[in-house]
Amino acid sequence: NNNNNNNNNNSHESVPHRSLEISLLAARIDQLDGALVGLAELKDSELRILQQRSQKITQKMSEWQAKIEDFEQILDESVEQNGRSLKEVQELRADQGTLSNEVSS
């Protein structure tokens, strides 16, 4: 009888204790859940910022690529003009040489 009474007393005492533990655990789980939601929102925010930066970088790269292509085109045209100028100079020298020969003979 005594053993039964002790067991009953222990189980009666442990029920409120267990429900308190369960309440504390439930509160802790809610707290952690809130923290996880907060972290997820923070990560989303960071991700958006990174995406915006990435778009800006991509835009700048496109702008620089266009500037480089313009510069290359200007350079090609300049080289082409220099080539024509060089050819004209050579022709003028040839003409001058012909003229000199005609004058000296």
Side-chain angles (χ1 to χ4, degrees):
N1 258 351
N2 281 344
N3 284 345
N4 284 343
N5 284 342
N6 284 343
N7 285 344
N8 285 343
N9 285 344
N10 286 344
S11 61
H12 286 305
E13 286 173 17
S14 67
V15 169
H17 183 65
R18 286 270 178 235
S19 79
L20 179 63
E21 277 184 9
I22 290 169
S23 299
L24 289 173
L25 283 173
R28 187 71 179 131
I29 288 170
D30 285 347
Q31 200 178 23
L32 289 172
D33 191 45
L36 281 174
V37 168
L39 275 176
E41 289 171 356
L42 184 64
K43 287 291 173 199
D44 286 348
S45 171
E46 288 176 358
L47 189 61
R48 276 195 296 278
I49 290 169
L50 287 174
Q51 286 170 335
Q52 288 169 352
R53 286 181 183 167
S54 175
Q55 286 172 346
K56 284 180 183 175
I57 289 170
T58 303
Q59 184 180 350
K60 285 285 180 196
M61 285 174 63
S62 295
E63 290 170 10
W64 278 102
Q65 186 63 39
K67 287 179 182 179
I68 289 170
E69 288 170 4
D70 289 348
F71 182 73
E72 286 174 340
Q73 187 177 351
I74 290 168
L75 199 58
D76 287 345
E77 289 170 2
S78 176
V79 166
E80 202 175 299
Q81 284 178 345
N82 284 343
R84 283 198 299 270
S85 298
L86 184 62
K87 196 173 185 181
E88 289 170 5
V89 167
Q90 288 169 338
E91 288 171 0
L92 284 172
R93 283 190 179 146
D95 290 347
Q96 187 182 15
T98 307
L99 198 59
S100 295
N101 289 340
E102 288 176 6
V103 167
S104 58
S105 54

